[in-house]
Amino acid sequence: MMMKKLLTLALALTMVLALSACGGDSGNSDDGSDGGSSITGDDEQTGGDESDLAYIQSNGKLIIGYTVYEPMNYTDDEGNFTGFDTELARAVCEKLGVEPEFQEIIWETKEVELSGKSIDCIWNGMTLDSQKEANMNCTIPYVKNAQVVVVKDGTEYTDTSSLIGKTVAAEVGSAGEAQIIGGEETEPDANLAQADYVGKSVQTDCLMEVKAGTADAAVLDLTLANAMTGEGTDYADLKIVDELAVENYGVAFRKDSDIRDLVNDIFAEMMEDGSMQALADQFGLVLAEPAAA
């Protein structure tokens, strides 16, 4: 009987110790977990609440997504990286107190790169439309543009019906492509829709196709076509023969970014003091019409 009592007591003590240990572990786990969750949550919340301006200022730079696109962003004959957008971005970054860092991107994935923070803005002659403005924070229009048809000099052309059944090149994801195959907000040109479309990664490749004779025409931005075709250029044998659609350029920041409004203010200042017009004159561009009050 005594042995039985001793065994019972030992078992009871073992259970008490086990429960005490579990209770202690649970308490430590709760404290650590709650404390950890609270810190993590606060950190995540802080990260989520951090303004875009604070983010780029903490990095000390604005990462600018671009493609090679003369006269907006390109390397000149002296090896200098320049262009209207390049110089404008440098001026704006100086006013924002950050350094510009230019990062070449694939135009088709620009919005993915922007939301993923591999770039901080898209600053590269980007055509504004309601879809872009719904998905990103876009600035006011600052440069006027149009989609134009470029052919080799000597090509017979009356209007886009001349290109039915012909090969036409455009940059993938561009406003020029939308004129040929249609887009979210653009009905294709009825004649161009009957052409054999060739998509290229950059607009300059479209000019190369026409020059080489592997495409009969290209549809691309007036700003680039003006800068890169005609006498004194690498594409002296190419010419603009038609204008299809007038549009405006803007800069895109992340959705709800607080940088956009600051850049708009800087744009307004530069338009008022004439420095924006001086840049436009330097690169042969036309500024967008001021927005109606």
Side-chain angles (χ1 to χ4, degrees):
M1 177 68 71
M2 179 64 68
M3 182 64 69
K4 223 181 232 191
K5 285 183 178 180
L6 286 172
L7 285 171
T8 302
L9 181 60
L11 286 169
L13 285 169
T14 300
M15 289 178 66
V16 168
L17 288 170
L19 288 170
S20 176
C22 288
D25 286 347
S26 176
N28 288 339
S29 176
D30 287 346
D31 289 343
S33 175
D34 288 348
S37 295
S38 177
I39 291 169
T40 301
D42 288 344
D43 284 348
E44 289 175 354
Q45 188 63 37
T46 300
D49 287 347
E50 182 183 38
S51 79
D52 221 17
L53 179 63
Y55 172 74
I56 66 162
Q57 287 178 332
S58 67
N59 290 334
K61 61 186 178 182
L62 179 72
I63 303 176
I64 298 160
Y66 79 97
T67 62
V68 177
Y69 172 18
E70 188 175 350
M72 309 311 281
N73 309 85
Y74 68 102
T75 302
D76 66 17
D77 293 337
E78 285 73 45
N80 302 309
F81 185 65
T82 187
F84 178 87
D85 275 340
T86 304
E87 302 307 331
L88 181 58
R90 285 171 175 155
V92 169
C93 283
E94 185 176 354
K95 292 177 181 292
L96 292 175
V98 295
E99 290 294 320
E101 181 178 304
F102 296 91
Q103 181 169 308
E104 191 168 358
I105 59 173
I106 297 172
W107 194 248
E108 294 169 86
T109 60
K110 58 187 179 295
E111 293 185 35
V112 175
E113 295 201 48
L114 181 63
S115 61
K117 290 193 171 183
S118 60
I119 58 174
D120 297 317
C121 63
I122 303 163
W123 202 324
N124 187 224
M126 186 194 75
T127 301
L128 292 172
D129 59 42
S130 60
Q131 183 185 18
K132 291 188 183 78
E133 295 190 61
N135 295 331
M136 301 178 285
N137 257 19
C138 299
T139 65
I140 57 173
Y142 63 103
V143 165
K144 183 180 178 180
N145 186 42
Q147 292 305 304
V148 295
V149 177
V150 173
V151 299
K152 189 174 287 189
D153 198 13
T155 301
E156 289 187 13
Y157 182 93
T158 52
D159 55 33
T160 54
S161 64
S162 301
L163 298 175
I164 294 175
K166 302 290 181 64
T167 300
V168 181
E171 181 184 40
V172 174
S174 70
E177 179 187 67
Q179 289 294 315
I180 304 168
I181 64 173
E184 289 286 337
E185 302 178 27
T186 306
E187 287 294 324
D189 178 276
N191 295 319
L192 293 177
Q194 300 177 66
D196 182 14
Y197 170 58
V198 175
K200 307 301 293 184
S201 59
V202 293
Q203 295 197 56
T204 48
D205 286 351
C206 301
L207 294 176
M208 290 174 64
E209 293 280 342
V210 179
K211 184 178 180 69
T214 49
D216 298 293
V219 179
L220 65 165
D221 291 341
L222 172 64
T223 50
L224 180 139
N226 268 338
M228 298 198 68
T229 64
E231 187 177 352
T233 70
D234 291 337
Y235 300 97
D237 57 340
L238 304 188
K239 64 178 182 179
I240 298 169
V241 291
D242 207 351
E243 185 175 296
L244 305 179
V246 176
E247 57 201 24
N248 287 312
Y249 287 161
V251 181
F253 294 91
R254 280 180 279 277
K255 186 70 176 170
D256 300 323
S257 172
D258 56 342
I259 305 172
R260 188 272 309 272
D261 290 345
L262 292 174
V263 173
N264 276 344
D265 290 342
I266 294 169
F267 279 1
E269 290 172 10
M270 294 183 71
M271 287 177 181
E272 187 173 346
D273 67 21
S275 54
M276 182 91 78
Q277 184 62 59
L279 265 182
D281 292 343
Q282 180 183 343
F283 292 99
L285 300 173
V286 177
L287 295 182
E289 294 293 327

